[in-house]
Amino acid sequence: MQKYSGFGLLKHALSHHENWQRVWRNPVPKKKYDVVIVGGGGHGLATAYYLAKVHNITNIAVLEKGYLGGGNTARNTTIVRSNYLWDESAKLYEHAMKLWEGLSQDLNYNVMFSQRGVLNLGHTLQDMRDISRRVNANRLNGIDGEVLDPQQIKEIVPMMDCSDRPRYPIMGASWQPRGGVARHDAVAWGFARAADALGVDLIQQCEVVDFIIEDGAATGVRTKTHGSISADRIGCVTAGNSSVMAKMAGFKLPLESHPLQALVSEPIKPILDTVVMSNHVHGYISQSDKGDLVIGAGIDGYNGYGQRGSYHTIEHTVQAIVELFPVFSRVRMNRQWGGIVDTCPDACPIISATPVENLFFNCGWGTGGFKATPGSGHVFAETLAAGEASEMAKPFSMFRFHDGALIDEHGAAGVAH
Amino acid sequence: MFYIFCPHCEEHREEEEFHAAGQAHIPRPLDPEACSDKEWGEYLFFRDNPRGIHHELWVHAVGCRKFFNITRDTQTYEIKEVYKVGEKPKFTAVSETGADLKSSLKAQESAT
Amino acid sequence: MNQPNRLSQGGRLARNKVINFQYNGKSYPGFVGDTLASAMLANGIDIVGRSFKYSRPRGIVAAGAEEPNAIMQLGATEATQVPNVRATQQELYNGLVAKSTNGWPNVEFDMMSTIGKVGAKVMPPGFYYKTFMYPKSLWSTYEKFIRKAAGLGRSPLENDPDRYDHYNQHADIVIVGAGPAGLSAALVAARSGARVIIADEQAEFGGALLHSKQKIDGVDVALWLENTVAELASFPEVLMLPKSTVNGYHDHNFLTIHQRVSDHLADRAEKNSSRQRMHRVRAKWVVLATGSHERPLVYANNDVPGNMLASAVSTYINRYAVIPGNKLVLMTTNDNAYSAAFDWQQAGREVVAIIDTRAAGAGRDCVEKAAALGITIINGSAVVEVQGSKRVSSVSVSAINAPGDQLVGDISNLSCDTLASSGGWSPAIHLSCHTGSRPVWSDQVIGFIPGETLQKQLTAGAINGRFELQDALAQGTKAGLAAVLNVGLSIETVTPATAEEVEENSPMALYHIPHPKKTSRAPKQFVDLQNDVTAAGIEMATLEGFESIEHVKRYTAMGFGTDQGKMGNINGMAIAAKSMNKTIPETGTTIFRPNYTPVTFGAIAGRHCGELFDPKRYTAMHQWHLERGALFEDVGNWKRPWYFPREGESMQQSLERECLAVRDSAGVLDASTLGKIDIQGADAREFLGRVYTNAWAKLAVGKCRYGLMCGEDGMVFDDGVTACLADNHFVMTTTTGGAARVLEWLEIYQQTEWPELEVYFNSVTDHWSTITVTGPNSRKIIETVVDDIDVSNDAFKYMDWKQATVKGVPARIFRISFTGELSFEVNVQANYGLQIWQAIMAAGEAYNLTPYGTETMHILRAEKGFIIAGQDTDGSVHPYDLGMGWAVSPKKPFSFIGKRGMNRADCVKEGRKQLVGIKTKDPKQVIPEGAQAVNDPKQPIPMTMLGHVTSSYYSACLGHSIAMAFIRNGHKRMGETVFYPLADGRVIEAVICSPIFFDPKGEQQNV
């Protein structure tokens, strides 16, 4: 792999940037792999990378029906944090956070991980109780966090209305300084490039239309464009389409796929230096390095694969933002878009074996998958390598919905991720 | 934003008046105590979640407060029909590929 | 007054209305009818901004929504700042203050441009992904510089003084665009009697007709336009919306129209007027007549001020009487653009040459007209490079081969200050894509046209790639007629207006002009001006393997600007396709999403902010509480009194006073906000037994009972007291915040699972005011206000309710208690609430009857160990976890909701977190709510947590702190010690106990 650096950039400038290597190959798929990963989003690519890097399994294909990182990886609002309530999820997201902290160097690709801090606002007494509970749990789990009062919040976000004017005045917030944002596309590309360099075959425009299952065990996949591909193990990492994939394998998942919308303003000069989220007024906001205010909110209530939602959801979101930041009222919204989020009843993911042997699913990340990307890949790689749920994956079995061992993160997950 | 015909009010109203309440036609087991944990869990949580034709329950929340069903394409968002609780849908999913057919057959097998 | 580029006549200007505006601190004149851009050009302003990456000077390129460069900061005051206004779309008003957005110290002399020139080489697409990684610690410093360089305008720093409205509209036919096609459609629709909305983003209707010199039905377009607009205005069912952009087209024919009500008048709207308005429109049928955007050609240094779109040149000359230069060279791939040169020459300035990229050149009409005007045409050639830094000074011209991918022959120079280019027209298909319809490439159109859609949508004119006026008129009429028939109306005869046919040669599909040097080595050839995306950048992206057009877009940032690629995207796709040896349709297009052009956040929010962000619900006694100085707590939508501080009291002092008053004598609580659901029907009782965990079969008329409600998963989600009013009539109370959810819960089970049960539900929360009088002296107070019943303990037992008359008002009185004291909950019709409250207050004077709020209520109930659903539960605990197995009747014949769920393996296992009482070792210490318990305070992090404190207070009447908390296996750990390590370093030692701290036998409430 051609190593990227400032010096390299200079060198290429002298040759008019005519000699850059491809970031990844365009290989013809082999007939058989040790592991086939269905889905070339951030989680799938990270899985492939860690399988190759940590577990020395390099005979891998990632099959992507569209283009790499083109699903929810390309559509989220790029927030990264790990301040989850329950031990199981806190461990998982903090694992991801630690990987984030060295990711650019590990991948030799600047994913622009910017630890500018995340505020989760509280607007009612119960919000503040929940915040206190979560921050206390985070602290004892080794995750950074503080409870702030409105005065402290105002110092961090001077443009936010911390007065008692709003309908639901801000009473306080949790503050995770290590949280922040990252450049979403770069995460997919960085993992893809690094995985490719380790020998992973990234196959784009290759839709999986069926699993090949013999005696209750998966032995390969059928693709629309490249025929059948055999595999010893298959990891399905298809986010919003997971139920569709599960149906091919003959089982159901405890998932609903909902539209999740986001929007950006026109680019403006730096004015917001942290991530601000509010479950109560339903909105969250940060400012990208390009200057756009990046804004999101809750899911639409119906199932939808259309990558778009309803206008009134956008309206409510903008109302929440203008309520929190009346100074942004005259700024203009540039663009909106939507993703398909696979939501689990307990707002926690599924990293799990399935009723089909050798077929594993990593899904159900709902509105909060981006922040987990490296952790999700790392844990799923361990699971695929071992052929059974890794220690960290165990609580996230799909079978927890049978015995009732749910990990209810609605409070911490809320509408806003 | 959907434009939904409420079969009880018998007029089109804006989506803002309604809530989606998930997949339709999931009856509560008549004898819950006879269900295994697995069966109860599937009743509670496991859903078809199809890309395409979906029968779903909606409520006219700030209208007549009545629940009713919608058959809707989750890909195009086209509403194919609305019908009252207790009625049967006219539109059902057509198997588009062999894979769909196969897996639905398999699903039946594993259910028995 | 001197406007060097203003023509002495022509244009659609009010020449008698001279107005002044400021640009970068200097005052300039203009006319009513100008846009900011036309006025700037009239005044000879060349440089309107600096590009954000390379700091290159930029000038006005376009005349409409596609303008990428002239992005202004507007606003005379801090509060009225508007960032990123396109000068081409901003109407001029007197006193307008505009600033350019980039450039330091100013746009004319930008220091950054030096860095831009040097740095450009090392800033190819995605350079930031490849560097700034080492050392890791420096990234946050790099990032600060990157952030500073990005962004265009700035946000105001003061709150917006203006307001914004929403109109909800229903229309038979919505027509988007009031050019020739849209107007033709509107005429037909209007004449049929349909309810029509026609919206156009421009200040006046007409679209391309506003700068056209053609004739329609034999008359000048201006006259036809005037007549048409007048006729439309005469129909009462036609709503005409100029200055109104249809910015989004959503599912089921829902459109949003963003109307600028007063942006053309002043910085801020007049009092009682709104600045902008959002029309939320549900349309039966939609006609998209959105026209098209001209594409420039891509050549070296195509960003130097003086490079313009051909159509923009015509627009400025004909519509605004502004000629944006002295010497013009026109480069075109099509006949249509010739009119720019004709207009220029006729305005009295020099046309150096028309460079036609087609070997065969233009059709007869154009050629003849050029000859008549004495304009030189050079066929089969192209401008390969522009010279000049702050303004075009000359252009290099070379012959090209037939496909346009190679230069042939020598290069010659032409001196000029303006280069207009036209690469053809891209249909404005944006709206047709908003609901997921994929556009389709047409080789004939040389552009994407709308694809199949499920929307009730018709299209007409240039959006279909039919760029001729005659076609637009005909297609508009046809679409109008189709829409009329589709909505079930009719119209007798329809004849489209006609324009003269023009004889044209076919346009050439050309996007990127070759250069003698390789693209990577040639001077910059810009594709997306706002984002400084070049042809070389796109080629480099594909070289690196970014092959999907989405990857190209994301890697280079092409189309991510405020113009969203209206000008550059097709050129970029063409360059990407060519460098991969593919066709444009093979490479594909990115998808347009709302908004078509940017929309003010305030307009989207409308009035739904501040007071109106969410409804406030007040009880009938709210005013009384206000007057007593109550502080309020938001619970759901309700404003509930939190506590009633007296002067000089701290919050803790108020709470202690309120608590002691209740325990010593009497207190009064406004409990009106609790949800109340009236339940009637022959099967009401059976129904209650199914949704509550306990038994209801034997509850007698006149009795009340507490119940827990669980989900099918067995987890508690609400609770409350339900009273039996008659054998088939109950009133249920719910938590304040849970009322709506509970009602929907009851409805869904009745309607979908058990329709055979005859039972009806109705919310009566607002119908009743509830006044809770509690404390040892509460009976004495109630006695004095009750007119007709005996309230002694013998006659009116604990957990009974009675119909009574209170001070002449019918009332339901419930003898239930949430404090553990003798209590009476007086319910009266809400209109009497305040009157009876005051009567009770008067009666209580002798007993120090003290109003208290939710906080005291919380303390008093916690002393009794009563839970608050939502505070002491979180959706993950079942009744047994709460120690409330007494409220579950597993023997009920019907398997009530929650029963099966709470018996799943995980719910019955050992080691669940259970609700207990907690007493601190130090009785004065109050554990913060949310604190987490551990067994071993010395355990290193991560520590093993046992559960959190849900409720915690100082109990004045007990003289020590009390808490309710979850502890793993807590019910079996009574008397054991746990520790609460706090954020401030303190560790609180505490003992597990029963959560019932006060009067464990319940004697006080039953006297």
Side-chain angles (χ1 to χ4, degrees):
Chain A
M1 185 170 79
Q2 187 178 34
K3 193 170 154 72
Y4 289 157
S5 67
F7 178 72
L9 202 59
L10 272 173
K11 215 176 68 190
H12 280 284
L14 295 177
S15 58
H16 308 278
H17 301 290
E18 288 162 358
N19 302 316
W20 287 104
Q21 277 180 14
R22 288 182 63 96
V23 275
W24 49 71
R25 297 163 294 129
N26 231 346
V28 175
K30 296 183 240 174
K31 280 281 141 207
K32 182 170 187 315
Y33 289 93
D34 294 345
V35 179
V36 159
I37 291 162
V38 184
H43 290 227
L45 293 166
T47 306
Y49 170 69
Y50 290 117
L51 265 173
K53 192 194 168 206
V54 180
H55 304 281
N56 269 329
I57 300 173
T58 54
N59 186 26
I60 305 173
V62 177
L63 309 182
E64 166 55 48
K65 75 169 174 178
Y67 57 97
L68 297 175
N72 291 344
T73 303
R75 292 158 201 279
N76 65 84
T77 47
T78 80
I79 296 169
V80 176
R81 61 189 176 89
S82 63
N83 52 355
Y84 277 68
L85 173 64
W86 300 98
D87 295 348
E88 298 85 349
S89 35
K91 226 178 256 177
L92 182 61
Y93 286 100
E94 179 61 16
H95 180 55
M97 177 67 88
K98 294 217 166 75
L99 290 168
W100 276 115
E101 286 174 328
L103 196 59
S104 293
Q105 291 73 30
D106 187 31
L107 298 178
N108 179 233
Y109 204 85
N110 191 349
V111 299
M112 304 174 91
F113 179 45
S114 169
Q115 292 182 287
R116 50 180 74 175
V118 175
L119 284 165
N120 294 80
L121 303 179
H123 301 260
T124 66
L125 294 169
Q126 187 56 40
D127 281 356
M128 292 314 299
R129 287 182 201 108
D130 292 337
I131 282 172
S132 162
R133 175 188 182 190
R134 185 162 46 77
V135 169
N136 276 309
N138 291 158
R139 208 168 36 78
L140 301 187
N141 268 325
I143 297 167
D144 60 323
E146 259 184 87
V147 181
L148 303 186
D149 64 28
Q151 190 55 43
Q152 293 168 301
I153 296 169
K154 186 86 189 161
E155 281 164 27
I156 294 173
V157 195
M159 296 327 296
M160 189 158 61
D161 189 345
C162 296
S163 73
D164 56 7
R165 181 209 60 89
R167 172 68 181 84
Y168 295 107
I170 294 163
M171 299 185 75
S174 72
W175 169 238
Q176 186 182 22
R178 284 161 70 236
V181 292
R183 173 87 182 102
H184 53 0
D185 292 327
V187 175
W189 300 339
F191 273 119
R193 171 171 168 267
D196 173 89
L198 293 170
V200 174
D201 284 353
L202 308 175
I203 321 286
Q204 301 186 69
Q205 307 292 332
C206 179
E207 183 175 355
V208 170
V209 294
D210 201 5
F211 293 102
I212 304 165
I213 299 171
E214 292 161 12
D215 299 332
T219 59
V221 296
R222 267 188 264 282
T223 70
K224 201 183 225 169
T225 41
H226 295 81
S228 296
I229 300 173
S230 305
D232 292 341
R233 287 202 184 114
I234 300 169
C236 191
V237 201
T238 52
N241 288 299
S242 296
S243 294
V244 178
M245 302 307 293
K247 192 181 175 196
M248 291 177 194
F251 58 89
K252 281 189 199 178
L253 289 168
L255 296 179
E256 286 189 355
S257 295
H258 288 270
L260 176 67
Q261 305 183 72
L263 59 108
V264 289
S265 75
E266 297 183 292
I268 55 175
K269 293 293 176 204
I271 187 162
L272 179 62
D273 297 330
T274 60
V275 181
V276 176
M277 324 179 69
S278 169
N279 285 0
H280 194 88
V281 304
H282 274 247
Y284 56 96
I285 181 167
S286 65
Q287 188 174 20
S288 76
D289 285 349
K290 217 174 137 275
D292 307 355
L293 298 172
V294 183
I295 293 166
I299 58 171
D300 283 274
Y302 47 82
N303 292 21
Y305 286 86
Q307 295 190 322
R308 62 183 190 279
S310 290
Y311 177 70
H312 63 277
T313 309
I314 291 288
E315 250 175 357
H316 288 314
T317 309
V318 171
Q319 283 155 11
I321 296 308
V322 176
E323 178 72 350
L324 293 171
F325 294 90
V327 295
F328 293 159
S329 167
R330 289 171 98 88
V331 177
R332 300 187 301 179
M333 167 181 157
N334 198 21
R335 200 160 41 92
Q336 68 173 82
W337 65 91
I340 314 164
V341 297
D342 39 332
T343 57
C344 243
D346 59 357
C348 273
I350 289 169
I351 308 172
S352 182
T354 67
V356 178
E357 211 180 314
N358 295 333
L359 176 61
F360 296 81
F361 267 63
N362 179 355
C363 58
W365 292 90
T367 59
F370 179 71
K371 66 174 72 64
T373 305
S376 162
H378 199 268
V379 168
F380 197 46
E382 199 179 337
T383 299
L384 284 170
E388 60 177 13
S390 73
E391 211 43 46
M392 227 181 273
K394 266 182 196 151
F396 299 98
S397 160
M398 66 181 275
F399 304 109
R400 71 180 184 271
F401 296 96
H402 289 152
D403 65 18
L406 275 58
I407 309 157
D408 195 327
E409 281 288 0
H410 280 109
V415 293
H417 268 245
Chain B
M1 197 160 79
F2 301 164
Y3 203 37
I4 298 172
F5 184 83
C6 172
H8 299 283
C9 298
E10 301 191 332
E11 36 179 83
H12 277 94
R13 310 294 294 189
E14 298 296 329
E15 185 193 329
E16 290 160 296
E17 295 188 10
F18 301 84
H19 289 167
Q23 185 178 337
H25 310 302
I26 302 177
R28 186 175 197 258
L30 288 174
D31 186 0
E33 309 311 309
C35 292
S36 65
D37 273 7
K38 179 167 183 275
E39 286 162 343
W40 193 250
E42 308 228 320
Y43 158 64
L44 273 184
F45 300 121
F46 288 69
R47 297 293 177 261
D48 290 339
N49 192 26
R51 177 193 274 275
I53 295 296
H54 189 225
H55 306 292
E56 53 198 16
L57 191 63
W58 286 72
V59 57
H60 196 177
V62 295
C64 62
R65 291 210 323 258
K66 287 282 192 187
F67 286 80
F68 61 95
N69 298 311
I70 291 181
T71 305
R72 190 174 58 89
D73 187 322
T74 60
Q75 174 73 41
T76 64
Y77 297 175
E78 184 187 10
I79 292 177
K80 301 283 191 184
E81 62 179 333
V82 296
Y83 56 104
K84 291 178 182 167
V85 169
E87 294 175 354
K88 286 209 160 53
K90 290 191 191 73
F91 288 83
T92 46
V94 188
S95 283
E96 284 168 12
T97 64
D100 273 1
L101 189 65
K102 204 187 91 196
S103 59
S104 67
L105 286 174
K106 214 177 297 165
Q108 281 167 18
E109 281 162 27
S110 63
T112 52
Chain C
M1 127 193 143
N2 181 22
Q3 297 181 45
N5 288 335
R6 184 75 74 182
L7 298 170
S8 58
Q9 55 185 359
R12 301 176 70 88
L13 302 167
R15 294 215 179 228
N16 55 344
K17 290 185 183 155
V18 179
I19 48 181
N20 289 293
F21 69 101
Q22 263 188 41
Y23 169 64
N24 282 346
K26 206 175 150 193
S27 187
Y28 296 94
F31 294 113
V32 168
D34 263 325
T35 60
L36 176 55
S38 68
M40 289 171 82
L41 287 171
N43 285 284
I45 297 169
D46 285 342
I47 301 177
V48 298
R50 288 273 171 171
S51 76
F52 96 99
K53 198 160 149 189
Y54 305 130
S55 279
R56 289 166 69 111
R58 292 283 163 80
I60 294 166
V61 182
E66 68 275 39
E67 172 63 36
N69 289 340
I71 305 296
M72 299 291 144
Q73 180 81 21
L74 234 64
T77 66
E78 185 54 46
T80 56
Q81 292 295 308
V82 186
N84 304 349
V85 174
R86 249 185 290 279
T88 50
Q89 291 194 295
Q90 174 63 47
E91 288 172 67
L92 199 67
Y93 57 80
N94 202 24
L96 181 148
V97 177
K99 287 194 180 77
S100 51
T101 52
N102 271 326
W104 182 85
N106 60 51
V107 284
E108 291 289 335
F109 305 99
D110 184 0
M111 299 295 287
M112 289 298 287
S113 68
T114 327
I115 299 169
K117 272 176 199 152
V118 179
K121 279 274 172 200
V122 290
M123 291 195 283
F127 71 96
Y128 28 79
Y129 303 134
K130 295 173 176 165
T131 181
F132 303 138
M133 283 174 280
Y134 314 98
K136 185 173 147 186
S137 57
L138 271 184
W139 164 240
S140 63
T141 314
Y142 297 136
E143 194 188 23
K144 275 192 195 107
F145 284 102
I146 291 178
R147 286 191 67 193
K148 263 191 197 155
L152 293 165
R154 67 174 183 87
S155 165
L157 303 176
E158 290 175 13
N159 289 3
D160 191 344
D162 280 323
R163 73 180 191 206
Y164 304 84
D165 287 329
H166 287 173
Y167 277 16
N168 291 305
Q169 309 267 22
H170 291 263
D172 291 324
I173 301 167
V174 169
I175 295 156
V176 187
L183 289 170
S184 300
L187 273 180
V188 180
R191 287 172 188 162
S192 78
R195 174 171 288 191
V196 177
I197 296 176
I198 175 166
D200 193 282
E201 63 179 345
Q202 299 210 51
E204 48 181 336
F205 279 8
L209 300 180
L210 294 169
H211 62 261
S212 167
K213 288 182 172 170
Q214 288 172 271
K215 287 187 188 300
I216 298 178
D217 286 346
V219 301
D220 283 349
V221 285
L223 182 60
W224 184 83
L225 180 59
E226 195 183 322
N227 293 339
T228 303
V229 168
E231 185 184 341
L232 287 175
S234 70
F235 294 100
E237 291 293 341
V238 175
L239 176 63
M240 298 163 75
L241 296 173
K243 308 181 205 302
S244 301
T245 307
V246 180
N247 63 291
Y249 187 173
H250 302 266
D251 284 282
H252 304 180
N253 264 19
F254 181 78
L255 302 101
T256 51
I257 307 180
H258 178 220
Q259 181 183 13
R260 274 84 59 197
V261 180
S262 70
D263 291 54
H264 62 299
L265 298 174
D267 232 19
R268 97 168 256 205
E270 277 181 34
K271 210 168 185 267
N272 300 324
S273 168
S274 60
R275 178 174 169 235
Q276 296 171 356
R277 182 174 294 147
M278 192 65 99
H279 298 262
R280 308 163 85 251
V281 187
R282 187 69 69 178
K284 286 185 188 156
W285 276 85
V286 169
V287 177
L288 296 181
T290 46
S292 56
H293 294 123
E294 195 172 20
R295 282 192 300 272
L297 289 160
V298 178
Y299 45 89
N301 293 330
N302 57 343
D303 66 326
V304 175
N307 285 284
M308 293 184 86
L309 288 172
S311 61
V313 166
S314 284
T315 303
Y316 285 117
I317 294 173
N318 294 335
R319 183 164 168 195
Y320 300 107
V322 172
I323 185 150
N326 290 307
K327 290 169 75 176
L328 175 79
V329 169
L330 171 74
M331 166 161 60
T332 180
T333 61
N334 57 76
D335 285 27
N336 189 291
Y338 274 62
S339 55
F342 302 154
D343 292 335
W344 191 282
Q345 185 90 345
Q346 283 165 339
R349 296 201 184 170
E350 183 188 350
V351 174
V352 178
I354 295 173
I355 316 291
D356 196 316
T357 60
R358 298 168 293 184
R364 200 181 59 198
D365 289 349
C366 281
V367 173
E368 283 175 0
K369 193 158 180 192
L373 288 167
I375 298 174
T376 310
I377 301 175
I378 306 171
N379 284 336
S381 293
V383 173
V384 298
E385 185 174 332
V386 165
Q387 288 82 37
S389 60
K390 291 181 182 172
R391 178 84 197 196
V392 173
S393 58
S394 63
V395 296
S396 306
V397 178
S398 167
I400 55 172
N401 64 351
D405 55 6
Q406 274 174 24
L407 302 182
V408 285
D410 295 335
I411 288 178
S412 59
N413 265 32
L414 295 174
S415 165
C416 65
D417 68 356
T418 306
L419 173 59
S421 77
S422 175
W425 295 81
S426 303
I429 53 172
H430 306 70
L431 293 173
S432 74
C433 298
H434 283 182
T435 50
S437 162
R438 288 254 153 202
V440 180
W441 178 261
S442 160
D443 280 330
Q444 192 195 343
V445 173
I446 316 180
F448 285 99
I449 54 174
E452 276 182 35
T453 181
L454 283 173
Q455 302 278 358
K456 292 182 171 166
Q457 166 199 303
L458 299 157
T459 52
I463 186 178
N464 293 335
R466 306 295 290 268
F467 303 119
E468 285 309 315
L469 179 55
Q470 175 60 43
D471 293 337
L473 296 167
Q475 286 207 343
T477 305
K478 196 175 150 206
L481 180 62
V484 164
L485 298 176
N486 287 343
V487 301
L489 294 168
S490 60
I491 181 166
E492 281 176 6
T493 52
V494 176
T495 331
T498 55
E500 65 263 53
E501 300 258 2
V502 187
E503 196 183 316
E504 287 192 346
N505 276 359
S506 347
M508 174 176 178
L510 182 64
Y511 314 92
H512 180 198
I513 309 290
H515 191 275
K517 291 181 182 168
K518 283 162 82 172
T519 304
S520 53
R521 301 183 180 214
K524 293 203 176 328
Q525 302 164 335
F526 286 92
V527 173
D528 177 334
L529 289 160
Q530 196 175 91
N531 282 330
D532 274 351
V533 179
T534 62
I538 292 168
E539 288 186 2
M540 176 181 150
T542 58
L543 172 77
E544 288 192 85
F546 292 98
E547 291 173 339
S548 153
I549 195 65
E550 277 288 348
H551 278 160
V552 172
K553 168 185 147 187
R554 289 162 178 276
Y555 191 59
T556 63
M558 176 179 85
F560 272 103
T562 64
D563 54 312
Q564 294 198 59
K566 290 189 180 68
M567 240 173 61
N569 266 11
I570 299 290
N571 286 334
M573 289 169 204
I575 291 165
K578 194 171 149 200
S579 69
M580 294 184 289
N581 284 321
K582 288 183 182 172
T583 64
I584 294 179
E586 279 167 359
T587 312
T589 178
T590 59
I591 281 294
F592 295 109
R593 305 194 182 279
N595 296 319
Y596 167 71
T597 50
V599 178
T600 311
F601 281 134
I604 298 167
R607 303 276 188 101
H608 302 275
C609 285
E611 282 286 296
L612 300 178
F613 177 72
D614 208 19
K616 277 180 190 166
R617 295 175 81 181
Y618 300 120
T619 73
M621 292 79 94
H622 187 77
Q623 189 58 30
W624 191 96
H625 304 322
L626 272 180
E627 285 162 10
R628 294 308 177 287
L631 296 179
F632 292 87
E633 177 189 357
D634 285 307
V635 187
N637 291 136
W638 289 97
K639 287 282 180 189
R640 297 198 72 178
W642 189 17
Y643 60 100
F644 290 82
R646 288 186 183 160
E647 208 171 316
E649 272 182 350
S650 69
M651 178 174 179
Q652 189 57 33
Q653 287 167 333
S654 303
L655 299 180
E656 290 181 14
R657 173 179 51 75
E658 290 174 11
C659 284
L660 289 172
V662 171
R663 297 270 182 240
D664 291 345
S665 179
V668 60
L669 173 80
D670 180 355
S672 310
T673 63
L674 281 189
K676 293 175 276 290
I677 299 170
D678 191 85
I679 303 174
Q680 301 192 37
D683 298 310
R685 187 181 294 274
E686 168 65 22
F687 191 90
L688 287 174
R690 296 184 182 190
V691 296
Y692 274 132
T693 57
N694 51 350
W696 293 81
K698 290 183 185 136
L699 185 71
V701 175
K703 291 283 179 192
C704 307
R705 181 166 290 168
Y706 172 82
L708 276 178
M709 219 177 265
C710 293
E712 291 283 16
D713 58 358
M715 304 302 158
V716 173
F717 88 93
D718 210 275
D719 68 342
V721 169
T722 294
C724 182
L725 303 183
D727 198 39
N728 56 2
H729 188 186
F730 297 80
V731 64
M732 172 189 281
T733 61
T734 72
T735 59
T736 297
R741 191 175 59 219
V742 171
L743 179 60
E744 192 165 304
W745 180 251
L746 304 179
E747 290 282 8
I748 194 172
Y749 273 90
Q750 195 281 323
Q751 291 181 38
T752 68
E753 292 294 346
W754 309 316
E756 69 281 6
L757 296 188
E758 192 199 335
V759 55
Y760 307 93
F761 313 96
N762 199 18
S763 168
V764 293
T765 305
D766 293 301
H767 304 34
W768 297 91
S769 282
T770 305
I771 304 161
T772 301
V773 184
T774 182
N777 286 322
S778 55
R779 180 175 287 121
K780 291 174 191 158
I781 297 165
I782 291 297
E783 262 170 1
T784 61
V785 293
V786 168
D787 303 337
D788 54 353
I789 62 161
D790 180 357
V791 296
S792 69
N793 196 31
D794 290 338
F796 193 172
K797 292 197 171 54
Y798 179 55
M799 295 306 278
D800 280 1
W801 79 271
K802 289 205 181 296
Q803 183 70 47
T805 311
V806 175
K807 288 285 178 188
V809 173
R812 289 174 184 166
I813 305 178
F814 296 81
R815 243 204 91 183
I816 54 178
S817 175
F818 199 41
T819 61
E821 299 291 341
L822 173 66
S823 290
F824 296 87
E825 286 195 358
V826 180
N827 288 267
V828 294
Q829 209 259 17
N831 287 343
Y832 298 109
L834 180 59
Q835 173 191 333
I836 299 304
W837 176 276
Q838 284 169 327
I840 289 172
M841 287 310 301
E845 220 163 298
Y847 303 98
N848 184 32
L849 179 64
T850 300
Y852 66 93
T854 51
E855 195 63 22
T856 289
M857 174 188 86
H858 282 199
I859 299 171
L860 295 170
R861 63 87 207 183
E863 289 170 350
K864 284 292 295 176
F866 293 146
I867 61 154
I868 290 185
Q871 178 170 346
D872 304 298
T873 68
D874 64 358
S876 73
V877 293
H878 55 59
Y880 297 99
D881 295 333
L882 294 168
M884 293 175 76
W886 52 266
V888 184
S889 306
K891 297 216 170 73
K892 285 197 282 187
F894 192 88
S895 180
F896 61 85
I897 299 175
K899 183 179 178 186
R900 180 63 190 85
M902 65 182 78
N903 286 308
R904 288 173 298 163
D906 192 73
C907 298
V908 296
K909 69 170 190 195
E910 278 295 303
R912 286 182 66 85
K913 289 178 179 171
Q914 294 167 329
L915 191 72
V916 294
I918 294 286
K919 256 165 114 167
T920 51
K921 283 269 164 81
D922 173 354
K924 298 286 171 203
Q925 241 175 348
V926 181
I927 314 171
E929 285 167 350
Q932 300 276 355
V934 299
N935 280 329
D936 172 10
K938 299 214 163 56
Q939 186 188 7
I941 276 171
M943 298 175 97
T944 309
M945 286 173 262
L946 308 171
H948 73 291
V949 172
T950 60
S951 300
S952 179
Y953 315 92
Y954 182 74
S955 165
C957 87
L958 297 169
H960 61 79
S961 73
I962 56 167
M964 295 161 80
F966 281 98
I967 296 287
R968 197 172 289 288
N969 254 341
H971 294 157
K972 288 186 177 166
R973 295 192 57 188
M974 291 296 152
E976 293 183 27
T977 299
V978 292
F979 299 88
Y980 289 93
L982 304 184
D984 59 11
R986 285 183 300 152
V987 176
I988 299 182
E989 191 177 350
V991 173
I992 302 168
C993 61
S994 155
I996 309 173
F997 297 93
F998 176 79
D999 184 26
K1001 291 185 182 153
E1003 287 160 350
Q1004 300 272 0
Q1005 62 204 14
N1006 201 0
V1007 290

